[in-house]
Structure formats: C-alpha cells, structure tokens
Amino acid sequence: MLKHLNATAMQPARVVILGAGGFVGSTAAHNLRAKGIKTLEVTRDQVDLQHADAASKLTALLQAGDVLLIAAAIAPCKNGEQLLANIQMQHAICEAIKSKNADLTQVVYISSDAVYADDVALANEDSKMQPSSFHGMMHAARELMLKGVCGAVPLAILRPSVLYGFNDPHNGYGPNRFFRLANEEKNITLFGGGEELRDHIYVNDVAEIIAQTMLHRSHGALNVATGQSHSFKEIADKVVKLMAADVVVEATPRQNAITHRHFDITACRQAFPEFRYTTLDAGLALVQKEYVAQQVTV
Amino acid sequence: MGSTITIGYAGMTHLGINYAVAGAGKGFKIIGYDPKPELALELAAGKLPVVEPGLDEALQQRAQLMQFTANVNDLAACDIVYVAPDVATNDNGQSDLTYINELIAKVIPALNPHALLIILAQVPPGFTRKINFAAHRLYYQVETLIFGQALHRAECPERYIVGCANPDMPLDSRLNTYLQAFNCPILPMRYESAELAKIAINCCLVAAVSVANSLGELCENIGADWNEIVPALRLDKRIGEYAYLQTGLGLSGGNLERDLATVVNLAAEYGTDKAVIQSFRDNSSHRRNWPLNKLFDSILLHNPKAKIALWGLTYKENTHSLKNSPAIKLVRDLAGYTIHAFDPVVKALGNIGNVQFYDSAMAALDSADVLVIMTPWSEFKLADLGQIAQRMRNKVIIDPFKVFSAEQVKALNFEYITTGK
C-alpha cells in the first residue's frame, strides 16, 4: 500500500513526464497542468528511450526537486522483441535516475495489474506477482529495476486495471474497441458470451490518482481500480445503448476458460479517503459525449 | 479440598493471575511472583490489572491462600512453580522470547532443590527441552487462556496437556495431585508434542473461523444467510456444537496470529507446506478491512462528511486488551475523520487516530450518521433502539458481530449491515 511523506497535499516543483504523448501520460499531464503543477512533457520525439543516448539526454533534462513520472512503454507488450525493447527503455531511465538520485524528490511508475497471476480472482497490493504474459512480465521486471536504483528516492508504483477513455490509441478487447465498433456501426464480437468480469478504470481517474500520489509524495504500491467488476457483455450492451448504434453484440464459441478479476480497493480508500472513482455508467457516458463532440467538431 | 502443596506462579500476567486464583480456588496455597514490586503490591491490595468476569470476587474470597511478592526467593517455599509470562509478539505475530528467558533465569536459582518447574506460555516447539534444568523436574503445560473467559477456563479446563521429557515415566506425584484437583483428563506427551498441540488447537480454531468468514462473505453477496447454515454444521458430529463458526473480522488478540506465524516459520525452516496456514493469515487480513469498506459503501462514498459513532474498542468483550483489535485498525484507517467513541473499559487511545470519547454509548450517538459496533459488549445489546433512532441523524448501523437482531433494527427503518448475510 501507499504511505505518504506529505501529510497534507503539497505541489511538487515540477513533474517530468516520460511517455507524455501516450494515453496515460497525456491525460496525467493535462490533469497536472489543470492543478497548476509545472510539467516537462517528454515524448519519443524529444528522447527516444531506445536510443543509445537516451540516458544522457534524460539525465540532462532532470533538475533538482523534480518528480519523475514514467508512463513510457511499448504497450501492450506482446512478444520477446517488445519485452527487450521495454527493458532497454527502462534501463535508460534507471541510468538517469542513478545519475540524478540526489535531485529527484519522487519517482512514479505506471505499471499494470498484469503483474498478478491470471487466477487471482480478488487482487490487492499483496497479491503474488506471477505474470503470465509478456506485458505483465515487462512491468514486473521494470518495477524491480526501479526498486534497484531508487534508493532513498520515494518510489510509487501504480498498477491500473483495464483502462478506458476516449483517446485510447489501443484497440484492445473492451470498452474502447466496443465504442469504435459501435461508432462505425459494426457488430461487437465477444469472446464466448463475454462473461468475464473485469474492473474497468476511467483514464481520468488514473490521472487523478497519479496527481494525488505526487501531492502526498507517496511511496509503495497501489492498484488503481474501482472495486466494481463488470462483464464484457454488460459493457458491450451499455455502449451500444449509449451510442444508439444499430449493431448486434455477438457471442462466439468459447476458446478459453472463463476467468474473473475483482479488486479489493481498501488500500486506495486508506490512502486517499476523499477520492471517488468514476462509476462505469458515468465513465462510459463521458466517453460517449466525447464521440458526440468529435462528430460535432467534424 | 486443601493441600500441603504450595504452587508458585512467576509472572503476574493475565494468564498467571487467573491460573493462580483458580489454584487457590482448589484450596492450594499460592505464591504469585512478579519482578515489578508495584504490581505485587497492587495485587496484595486486591487491585487487578486485568478485566475478567468473576476475577475480582474470586481474588477477594481466596485472599487468605494467596501471597503476592516481588522477591523471587519467596518461590523457594513452592513445590511447583509455573512460569507464566506474557510472550510479546511483533507486527508479524512472531514471539519475542527475551522476557520469558529472563524470567526463567531469575526463577531457577530461587527454587528449592526438589521443586518442579513448569512452563505455562506460548512458546515455539523445542523451547522447553533447551532449558538448562533437571529434565525429570521440568514440564511444559499448555495454557488455554481465553480473554473474557479466563477464570472459568482456568477453573474448569477441558483437559491438561502436559509436556514431559519422557512421557513413558509417570508424572511427578505433586503435579498429578495439583492437576487432578481440577477433575479433567490429563494427557502427558513429549515436550515438543505438547508445544505443538497448543498450536494445533489454535490452527483448528482458525480453520473454523476462516471457513465462517470466507463463506459468510459469500453469503453477503449471494443472498444466503450464514446464521441459517450454522445450526446445520453444529449438528454434524465431525464439526461439533462448539465449533468456532461465528463470522467476524478476522483474527485478533495476538495469540492465534502468533501460532500461525510459528507454523509458517517452522514450515519454511523444515521445508513443509505452509500454504493452508498462510491462507488463513491472508483471509484474516482481508476480513479486517470489512468495516472500512462497509462504511464507504454505505455512507462515506456519498457523504464524505458523515459523523461516525463507534461503540467498542477492545478486541473482544470482557477484556481491556486492544491487541490487534479491528476497532483500532478502523480508527487508524479513518485518521482523517473524527470518531465519536464509547467503550466500557477504554477511555483514551493516546496518539491513535482522531477519537473523541464520550461518557456513555448514547452520548456518542448525537447527530451521528452511522453507528459502527466494533466490540459486542453485552451492555450494547441492551441499548434502546428507539433512543438510538432519535439521537442519530441518519439511521445506518454497521454491526459485524450481530449485537442487534436484524429484524428489530429494520423494523425501526435502520439500514442494517452485518456479516454473513
């Protein structure tokens, strides 16, 4: 669980965001800026973390008092090649952290609940890390790499569950893909009957937890999940209704056994008692509004 | 009753005091020794540092047979000396044996050359055999202290489990005489078996509690009622009418947690499977979060400024102990909130949380939005629900231990949240 070094919220001097062009990074940057927090938003164009000069470039960017937010990854990580690339990126970041260890006030790493075993039906921060995918293995390894170099610098590891939001560039199975298909008036195909229960988290909530973690200068690990799990079928039906789409939600013959994932979010309630997660209905409605706004703009 | 045998108890702890008073109740002369002079003086004056039903009266009635001292040499008059200290545990439930070792080192030189030394404390298997003392005069005895029932259980034990250097040899006649006065089976066994027997008893209790909590949680989600299931279990001879089947908030008090930690550590040391025992610990940790999550789900999510009243702080009723108390955990978890609290025994918590204490249970309720009952003290069961309803602003009661009946509370339009249904 997270422990706070700031009993009351205090703004960091500056937040350096790696992966600022990505889904989580850009949303976090927007949220931090809205709170009046100074940011340095680093994208691949500025520092290619796979390049040989990445560590030195990054070291040059870091100043005394900085908080470093690491939201840069090739994600989802699907194979060995991507795994190696992600490790290489993290190695460069770790080298920079080592060089600037005395200057950094906090490191925040965006990990994933994929670090847990597939059969952890009720996950909390003490659940065993037993990744079964390249993606989970990548995050687990990167967490360890950071723990090895952060030393006295407070390290917060945030493990979001399944993310959704309007700007998600990925087309993974779930709300984002369902919205795109509904928007394009294409049928939604479920895996089996879409029975699997998952905890879907609105990306703005992740951004707010990131901000709170920085304001309290927290360290430790925290899952970022709502505590409410829903089936893919339920979500697909909700999306179709929200988008008023004339599409069918189709079941397919099941290929894999059904697994469910729930989260015990006690640690989040203990860490941030005043924070309230966006409910699934409210979050999906917000995404739908973005689709409407996009159409109006077009 | 009555005997020429003198029994000593070294360590005037919850355990030592209750066993000493029980011994006097059987007519034995008792010498209670504690290194702290002020404690010995208070006990001699009839002032008890612990809360147990019937203990005050029993101490008064048996005072003539009881002597309390801080002079270890007074134990030289004893035929049998029990060493009965509290063995402290750390946050991981591991025992700190420093004090018991110090106490044993103090007591042994003071004993007369024929006296028996008996270890009456939760110690890890292997502890007793390592003590440098004549093996034929050294025993280990399982203690079965239950806070809130300590005197009754000391006076009416179900059985005595006695660890011996060699269980094939008869028990020393003086020990036999003393134990037979309590009229229960005596089970001699080797030291290590007796030390592990205590742990085995607690593991079985924890298994039953963990089953109740795991299935009770499922009941809360599928519309079943664990209370309807329990009688069916009690009628099963393989489970039994006294099985620990009440739903609750995980393990507390420290002793059960200690034994689980001991098994997990031994399993790691000897390479045996620890998964089942570890899962009991995990389940307990999970279950201890129940009150906080129910508070959030029932009221704090939509009313972050809710006024929270809390009844009960001790880890169970009829005790002063706060060790691993779920109420204390809740108070810590709610550090950002003011808790309006009442407990019949505990009147201050020092630096823990943000607690405002009241003189009565009812006074803590004024304008409260939610009442959380964290210890099932009997006086809470007698509380006037109508008066509670009048005093509270919102009628929400979180009652994990079923102090109230759901039907009564719901009849007064309370939102009632309990475990197991």
Short mmCIF file of all heavy atoms in Angstrom, two decimals, chain B residues 157-187:
data_model
loop_
_atom_site.label_atom_id
_atom_site.label_comp_id
_atom_site.label_asym_id
_atom_site.label_seq_id
_atom_site.Cartn_x
_atom_site.Cartn_y
_atom_site.Cartn_z
N PRO B 157 -10.97 -26.60 33.22
CA PRO B 157 -10.31 -26.92 31.93
C PRO B 157 -10.91 -28.16 31.29
O PRO B 157 -11.44 -29.04 31.99
CB PRO B 157 -8.85 -27.16 32.34
CG PRO B 157 -8.91 -27.55 33.78
CD PRO B 157 -10.10 -26.86 34.37
N GLU B 158 -10.85 -28.22 29.97
CA GLU B 158 -11.36 -29.40 29.27
C GLU B 158 -10.43 -30.58 29.46
O GLU B 158 -10.83 -31.72 29.50
CB GLU B 158 -11.47 -29.09 27.77
CG GLU B 158 -12.52 -28.05 27.45
CD GLU B 158 -12.05 -27.07 26.39
OE1 GLU B 158 -10.87 -26.66 26.43
OE2 GLU B 158 -12.86 -26.72 25.52
N ARG B 159 -9.12 -30.28 29.53
CA ARG B 159 -8.08 -31.30 29.72
C ARG B 159 -6.79 -30.58 30.00
O ARG B 159 -6.66 -29.38 29.76
CB ARG B 159 -7.92 -32.21 28.48
CG ARG B 159 -7.26 -31.59 27.25
CD ARG B 159 -8.04 -30.52 26.71
NE ARG B 159 -7.75 -30.08 25.37
CZ ARG B 159 -7.75 -28.80 25.04
NH1 ARG B 159 -7.89 -27.85 25.95
NH2 ARG B 159 -7.60 -28.44 23.80
N TYR B 160 -5.83 -31.33 30.54
CA TYR B 160 -4.49 -30.80 30.70
C TYR B 160 -3.57 -31.50 29.71
O TYR B 160 -3.56 -32.74 29.63
CB TYR B 160 -3.98 -31.02 32.12
CG TYR B 160 -4.50 -30.00 33.11
CD1 TYR B 160 -5.18 -30.39 34.25
CD2 TYR B 160 -4.30 -28.64 32.89
CE1 TYR B 160 -5.66 -29.46 35.15
CE2 TYR B 160 -4.78 -27.70 33.79
CZ TYR B 160 -5.47 -28.11 34.91
OH TYR B 160 -5.93 -27.18 35.78
N ILE B 161 -2.83 -30.72 28.99
CA ILE B 161 -1.82 -31.27 28.08
C ILE B 161 -0.47 -30.95 28.71
O ILE B 161 -0.14 -29.79 28.93
CB ILE B 161 -1.94 -30.63 26.69
CG1 ILE B 161 -3.34 -30.89 26.11
CG2 ILE B 161 -0.84 -31.14 25.76
CD1 ILE B 161 -3.69 -30.01 24.93
N VAL B 162 0.26 -32.00 29.07
CA VAL B 162 1.49 -31.82 29.83
C VAL B 162 2.68 -32.36 29.03
O VAL B 162 2.71 -33.56 28.68
CB VAL B 162 1.40 -32.54 31.19
CG1 VAL B 162 2.68 -32.28 32.00
CG2 VAL B 162 0.20 -32.04 31.97
N GLY B 163 3.60 -31.49 28.74
CA GLY B 163 4.82 -31.91 28.05
C GLY B 163 5.87 -32.40 29.05
O GLY B 163 6.10 -31.75 30.06
N CYS B 164 6.46 -33.56 28.74
CA CYS B 164 7.41 -34.17 29.66
C CYS B 164 8.68 -34.52 28.88
O CYS B 164 8.65 -34.71 27.67
CB CYS B 164 6.87 -35.50 30.22
SG CYS B 164 5.14 -35.47 30.66
N ALA B 165 9.76 -34.68 29.63
CA ALA B 165 11.00 -35.14 28.97
C ALA B 165 10.78 -36.54 28.42
O ALA B 165 11.19 -36.87 27.31
CB ALA B 165 12.15 -35.13 29.98
N ASN B 166 10.11 -37.38 29.22
CA ASN B 166 9.83 -38.76 28.81
C ASN B 166 8.39 -39.11 29.21
O ASN B 166 8.12 -39.37 30.38
CB ASN B 166 10.81 -39.71 29.50
CG ASN B 166 10.56 -41.15 29.08
OD1 ASN B 166 9.64 -41.44 28.31
ND2 ASN B 166 11.39 -42.06 29.58
N PRO B 167 7.47 -39.13 28.26
CA PRO B 167 6.06 -39.35 28.61
C PRO B 167 5.77 -40.76 29.11
O PRO B 167 4.69 -41.02 29.64
CB PRO B 167 5.32 -39.07 27.30
CG PRO B 167 6.33 -39.23 26.22
CD PRO B 167 7.66 -38.90 26.82
N ASP B 168 6.74 -41.67 28.98
CA ASP B 168 6.52 -43.02 29.48
C ASP B 168 6.69 -43.09 31.00
O ASP B 168 6.27 -44.06 31.64
CB ASP B 168 7.49 -44.01 28.81
CG ASP B 168 7.22 -44.12 27.32
OD1 ASP B 168 6.05 -43.92 26.94
OD2 ASP B 168 8.16 -44.36 26.56
N MET B 169 7.34 -42.10 31.56
CA MET B 169 7.52 -42.06 33.02
C MET B 169 6.28 -41.42 33.65
O MET B 169 5.69 -40.51 33.07
CB MET B 169 8.74 -41.21 33.38
CG MET B 169 10.05 -41.75 32.82
SD MET B 169 10.53 -43.31 33.60
CE MET B 169 11.02 -42.70 35.21
N PRO B 170 5.88 -41.88 34.85
CA PRO B 170 4.69 -41.27 35.48
C PRO B 170 4.96 -39.80 35.84
O PRO B 170 6.11 -39.42 36.11
CB PRO B 170 4.49 -42.11 36.74
CG PRO B 170 5.77 -42.84 36.96
CD PRO B 170 6.46 -42.97 35.65
N LEU B 171 3.89 -39.01 35.84
CA LEU B 171 4.02 -37.60 36.23
C LEU B 171 4.45 -37.53 37.69
O LEU B 171 4.08 -38.39 38.49
CB LEU B 171 2.66 -36.89 36.12
CG LEU B 171 2.15 -36.43 34.77
CD1 LEU B 171 0.89 -35.58 34.98
CD2 LEU B 171 3.19 -35.63 34.01
N ASP B 172 5.20 -36.52 38.03
CA ASP B 172 5.54 -36.29 39.42
C ASP B 172 4.25 -36.26 40.25
O ASP B 172 3.25 -35.65 39.83
CB ASP B 172 6.29 -34.96 39.55
CG ASP B 172 6.76 -34.71 40.96
OD1 ASP B 172 5.92 -34.29 41.80
OD2 ASP B 172 7.95 -34.94 41.23
N SER B 173 4.27 -36.89 41.41
CA SER B 173 3.03 -37.04 42.18
C SER B 173 2.44 -35.70 42.61
O SER B 173 1.22 -35.53 42.69
CB SER B 173 3.28 -37.91 43.41
OG SER B 173 4.26 -37.28 44.23
N ARG B 174 3.32 -34.70 42.87
CA ARG B 174 2.81 -33.40 43.29
C ARG B 174 2.05 -32.72 42.14
O ARG B 174 0.98 -32.16 42.34
CB ARG B 174 3.96 -32.51 43.76
CG ARG B 174 4.62 -32.99 45.04
CD ARG B 174 5.97 -32.37 45.24
NE ARG B 174 6.94 -32.80 44.23
CZ ARG B 174 8.17 -32.30 44.10
NH1 ARG B 174 8.59 -31.36 44.92
NH2 ARG B 174 8.97 -32.75 43.16
N LEU B 175 2.60 -32.82 40.97
CA LEU B 175 1.91 -32.22 39.81
C LEU B 175 0.62 -32.97 39.55
O LEU B 175 -0.43 -32.36 39.25
CB LEU B 175 2.82 -32.28 38.57
CG LEU B 175 2.22 -31.71 37.28
CD1 LEU B 175 1.82 -30.24 37.46
CD2 LEU B 175 3.21 -31.83 36.12
N ASN B 176 0.69 -34.30 39.68
CA ASN B 176 -0.51 -35.11 39.47
C ASN B 176 -1.61 -34.70 40.45
O ASN B 176 -2.77 -34.55 40.08
CB ASN B 176 -0.14 -36.59 39.65
CG ASN B 176 -1.08 -37.48 38.90
OD1 ASN B 176 -1.48 -37.16 37.78
ND2 ASN B 176 -1.47 -38.59 39.51
N THR B 177 -1.23 -34.51 41.70
CA THR B 177 -2.21 -34.11 42.72
C THR B 177 -2.83 -32.77 42.37
O THR B 177 -4.06 -32.58 42.46
CB THR B 177 -1.52 -34.00 44.10
OG1 THR B 177 -0.97 -35.28 44.42
CG2 THR B 177 -2.49 -33.56 45.18
N TYR B 178 -1.99 -31.83 41.99
CA TYR B 178 -2.49 -30.49 41.67
C TYR B 178 -3.46 -30.55 40.48
O TYR B 178 -4.58 -30.03 40.53
CB TYR B 178 -1.32 -29.56 41.38
CG TYR B 178 -1.73 -28.12 41.11
CD1 TYR B 178 -2.58 -27.43 41.98
CD2 TYR B 178 -1.29 -27.45 39.97
CE1 TYR B 178 -2.95 -26.11 41.73
CE2 TYR B 178 -1.66 -26.13 39.72
CZ TYR B 178 -2.49 -25.47 40.61
OH TYR B 178 -2.88 -24.17 40.37
N LEU B 179 -3.05 -31.21 39.43
CA LEU B 179 -3.89 -31.22 38.22
C LEU B 179 -5.18 -32.01 38.44
O LEU B 179 -6.24 -31.65 37.92
CB LEU B 179 -3.10 -31.79 37.04
CG LEU B 179 -1.86 -31.00 36.61
CD1 LEU B 179 -1.21 -31.63 35.38
CD2 LEU B 179 -2.20 -29.53 36.33
N GLN B 180 -5.08 -33.10 39.23
CA GLN B 180 -6.30 -33.90 39.44
C GLN B 180 -7.36 -33.14 40.22
O GLN B 180 -8.54 -33.47 40.14
CB GLN B 180 -5.93 -35.20 40.15
CG GLN B 180 -5.30 -36.21 39.19
CD GLN B 180 -5.23 -37.61 39.75
OE1 GLN B 180 -5.40 -37.80 40.95
NE2 GLN B 180 -4.98 -38.57 38.89
N ALA B 181 -6.93 -32.12 40.94
CA ALA B 181 -7.91 -31.33 41.69
C ALA B 181 -8.90 -30.64 40.75
O ALA B 181 -9.99 -30.23 41.17
CB ALA B 181 -7.18 -30.28 42.53
N PHE B 182 -8.53 -30.51 39.49
CA PHE B 182 -9.40 -29.81 38.54
C PHE B 182 -10.32 -30.79 37.78
O PHE B 182 -11.10 -30.37 36.92
CB PHE B 182 -8.56 -28.99 37.56
CG PHE B 182 -7.89 -27.81 38.25
CD1 PHE B 182 -6.68 -27.96 38.91
CD2 PHE B 182 -8.48 -26.56 38.25
CE1 PHE B 182 -6.07 -26.90 39.55
CE2 PHE B 182 -7.87 -25.49 38.89
CZ PHE B 182 -6.66 -25.65 39.54
N ASN B 183 -10.14 -32.09 38.08
CA ASN B 183 -11.10 -33.09 37.63
C ASN B 183 -11.31 -33.09 36.11
O ASN B 183 -12.43 -32.96 35.61
CB ASN B 183 -12.44 -32.84 38.34
CG ASN B 183 -13.35 -34.06 38.25
OD1 ASN B 183 -12.84 -35.19 38.15
ND2 ASN B 183 -14.65 -33.84 38.25
N CYS B 184 -10.20 -33.23 35.40
CA CYS B 184 -10.31 -33.32 33.93
C CYS B 184 -9.23 -34.27 33.43
O CYS B 184 -8.29 -34.60 34.17
CB CYS B 184 -10.17 -31.94 33.29
SG CYS B 184 -8.51 -31.25 33.44
N PRO B 185 -9.34 -34.76 32.21
CA PRO B 185 -8.30 -35.67 31.70
C PRO B 185 -6.93 -35.00 31.68
O PRO B 185 -6.82 -33.81 31.42
CB PRO B 185 -8.78 -35.99 30.27
CG PRO B 185 -10.23 -35.67 30.27
CD PRO B 185 -10.42 -34.55 31.25
N ILE B 186 -5.90 -35.80 31.94
CA ILE B 186 -4.51 -35.31 31.88
C ILE B 186 -3.81 -36.09 30.77
O ILE B 186 -3.81 -37.33 30.78
CB ILE B 186 -3.80 -35.53 33.23
CG1 ILE B 186 -4.54 -34.78 34.34
CG2 ILE B 186 -2.34 -35.07 33.15
CD1 ILE B 186 -4.07 -35.14 35.75
N LEU B 187 -3.26 -35.37 29.82
CA LEU B 187 -2.64 -36.01 28.66
C LEU B 187 -1.14 -35.72 28.66
O LEU B 187 -0.70 -34.68 28.19
CB LEU B 187 -3.26 -35.48 27.36
CG LEU B 187 -4.78 -35.55 27.24
CD1 LEU B 187 -5.24 -34.88 25.95
CD2 LEU B 187 -5.25 -36.99 27.27
#
